[in-house]
Amino acid sequence: MRPVPTAPAGAPAPFDVERIRREFPILGQQVRGKPLVYLDNAATAQKPERVIDAEARFYREINANVHRGVHLLSERATQAYEDVREKVRRFLNAPSAKEVIFTRGTTESLNLVAQTFGRQRVGEGDEILVTEMEHHSNIVPWQMLAQERKARLVVAPVDDAGVLRLDELERRLGPRTRILAVTHVSNALGTVNPIARICELARARGVPVVVDGAQGVPHRPVDVRALGCDFYAFSAHKLYGPTGVGVLWGKREHLEAMPPWQGGGDMILSVTFEKTTFNELPYKLEAGTPNIAGVVAMGAAIDWLASIDLAGALAHEHDLLAYGTELLSRIPGIRLVGTAPEKEGVLSFLLGDVHPHDIGTVLDREGVAIRTGHHCAQPLMIRYAIPATARASLAIYNRRSELEALAAGLEKVRRMFA
Ligand code: PLP
């Protein structure tokens, strides 16, 4: 008998989608009498048991406020919370855990940068450069800042396939550009932007780069040093973690120079009615009681990702993307929106003249959950002269058979609206 191959001690078992699925309790359920096919992962990913347990265990066994107590539970809560800072540092390969700021998510992280760093840097007549494929979270905070400062929002275009025009971006990096804000991966198109190259172009002109990593971290390992960016923002809930918590990573020199954002507890060293002195990093930027249980559960999500064969999982996801693209391309009347050569886990499409909401409603009756609408990227929809798309988005627990269910559902839509 041949010996069963065993993984070397400490190495994760080779990726097996069925085994991974069993760790996600929600995936086993039926919706509308059909097995759930969850293809709305770009909106939020499902959570493995380990993450759900970590949050519940925190409340059952540790719950106390952080940083303030001398009692044992407070010490434990503080330890659990601060341990995650180091986990995130490792996860992003950041130089220091002091550069890791816990926030409510990507949106809050980007607003934080705009309202502190942005306010310091941007003045009248200056320019803030964004791209046409940004999520509203990486447009509106900059637009608000531009209005406040009498500055200008400048936009780098994408081509018909959904690839960022680097030549046009470079042309727009001018003497008045003070900040470049760009997404790592587009939530509406799946396009992966060449962040390292973009940072090189910006650095050559002294322009700091803020990266929206909401759709980056779930699909590829991120190394902020290798990328060369100045800030990187992400949300835990798209990374198999809980909602209501996320991260802003920033270069220490920027964070040190930034004023505090919100005032309140924890971000101060001393307060009198005459004067307040502020705490050091990272606490200076974390006012008030944070989402402690959420941070702890985010740490569990990062641990969970480290415990699986992530390379195998991401290869599986790429296989799904290629398979899904092929299946959809075979359906008459399908138009894929976003066909960049470098893509992650997103299949945005239109089907003839059928409104995306109708597509979504018919698919829902088949148990297939997708998203329809503008995906918080209305300027991108305007670019393609469409009101909305239907979007199936992938996670490592999806199966090929789920994409077949999507394709079968779309055939139904086609017949219904023919
Ligand atoms: N940026 C991108 C690219 C996103 O996909 C999203 C969420 O869909 C966000 C930002 C905002 O993330 P959150 O709502 O978690 O703050």
Side-chain angles (χ1 to χ4, degrees), residues 42-43 105-108 135 137 183 185 187 212 214-215 235 237-238:
T106 311
T107 303
E108 188 170 86
H135 187 282
S137 294
T183 193
V185 175
N187 66 309
D212 170 353
Q215 304 291 345
S235 303
H237 71 97
K238 296 179 197 285

Side-chain angles (χ1 to χ4, degrees), residues 41-44 103-110 133-138 183-188 212-216 233-238 243-246 371 375-376 391:
N41 296 288
T44 198
T103 64
R104 284 197 300 126
T106 311
T107 303
E108 188 170 86
S109 298
L110 294 170
M133 71 172 86
E134 297 310 312
H135 187 282
H136 296 163
S137 294
N138 207 21
T183 193
H184 197 169
V185 175
S186 158
N187 66 309
D212 170 353
Q215 304 291 345
F234 72 87
S235 303
H237 71 97
K238 296 179 197 285
T243 51
V245 62
R371 184 143 297 241
H375 316 295
C376 297
R391 181 189 72 184

Side-chain angles (χ1 to χ4, degrees), residues 270-278:
S270 73
V271 179
T272 66
F273 283 115
E274 288 70 40
K275 183 176 163 57
T276 292
T277 55
F278 301 120

Side-chain angles (χ1 to χ4, degrees), residues 121-387:
R121 279 189 74 87
V122 177
E124 191 169 343
D126 286 340
E127 294 174 356
I128 303 163
L129 181 55
V130 298
T131 85
E132 220 167 18
M133 71 172 86
E134 297 310 312
H135 187 282
H136 296 163
S137 294
N138 207 21
I139 299 173
V140 182
W142 304 116
Q143 199 167 43
M144 288 163 68
L145 176 67
Q147 268 162 16
E148 180 188 300
R149 294 286 142 148
K150 299 192 173 60
R152 219 159 63 85
L153 195 67
V154 176
V155 184
V158 298
D159 71 11
D160 290 346
V163 177
L164 179 61
R165 290 280 308 270
L166 273 196
D167 54 338
E168 294 290 341
L169 178 115
E170 193 171 4
R171 273 195 332 118
R172 285 162 176 75
L173 278 167
R176 299 307 298 261
T177 313
R178 293 290 171 263
I179 292 171
L180 165 59
V182 59
T183 193
H184 197 169
V185 175
S186 158
N187 66 309
L189 304 170
T191 306
V192 180
N193 284 320
I195 296 297
R197 176 74 190 125
I198 290 171
C199 289
E200 250 173 48
L201 295 174
R203 203 165 40 245
R205 292 157 180 84
V207 175
V209 181
V210 181
V211 180
D212 170 353
Q215 304 291 345
V217 286
H219 301 293
R220 42 181 50 215
V222 169
D223 178 334
V224 290
R225 285 193 257 196
L227 291 177
C229 56
D230 294 81
F231 295 94
Y232 195 96
F234 72 87
S235 303
H237 71 97
K238 296 179 197 285
L239 186 69
Y240 311 104
T243 51
V245 62
V247 165
L248 172 68
W249 169 80
K251 277 189 179 158
R252 185 148 179 184
E253 75 237 40
H254 296 322
L255 297 173
E256 293 284 7
M258 277 155 54
W261 182 36
Q262 294 175 327
D266 242 26
M267 52 74 75
I268 56 91
L269 284 179
S270 73
V271 179
T272 66
F273 283 115
E274 288 70 40
K275 183 176 163 57
T276 292
T277 55
F278 301 120
N279 209 338
E280 58 185 25
L281 285 178
Y283 315 111
K284 177 178 89 173
L285 294 165
E286 289 179 10
T289 301
N291 182 353
I292 309 166
V295 166
V296 170
M298 171 165 67
I302 291 172
D303 285 344
W304 178 75
L305 283 167
S307 77
I308 66 168
D309 168 15
L310 192 58
L314 298 179
H316 165 75
E317 213 184 72
H318 280 148
D319 171 69
L320 291 175
L321 180 62
Y323 186 58
T325 305
E326 187 191 317
L327 286 182
L328 293 198
S329 305
R330 279 196 221 137
I331 299 171
I334 284 270
R335 172 183 160 199
L336 285 171
V337 181
T339 51
E342 270 282 298
K343 266 186 79 170
E344 296 290 2
V346 169
L347 292 158
S348 249
F349 59 91
L350 297 166
L351 177 52
D353 294 334
V354 187
H355 195 283
H357 289 313
D358 292 330
I359 299 176
T361 306
V362 174
L363 288 177
D364 176 55
R365 279 191 234 137
E366 301 300 312
V368 180
I370 63 155
R371 184 143 297 241
T372 62
H374 53 62
H375 316 295
C376 297
Q378 281 185 319
L380 189 67
M381 300 295 120
I382 293 168
R383 158 68 176 84
Y384 292 117
I386 52 179

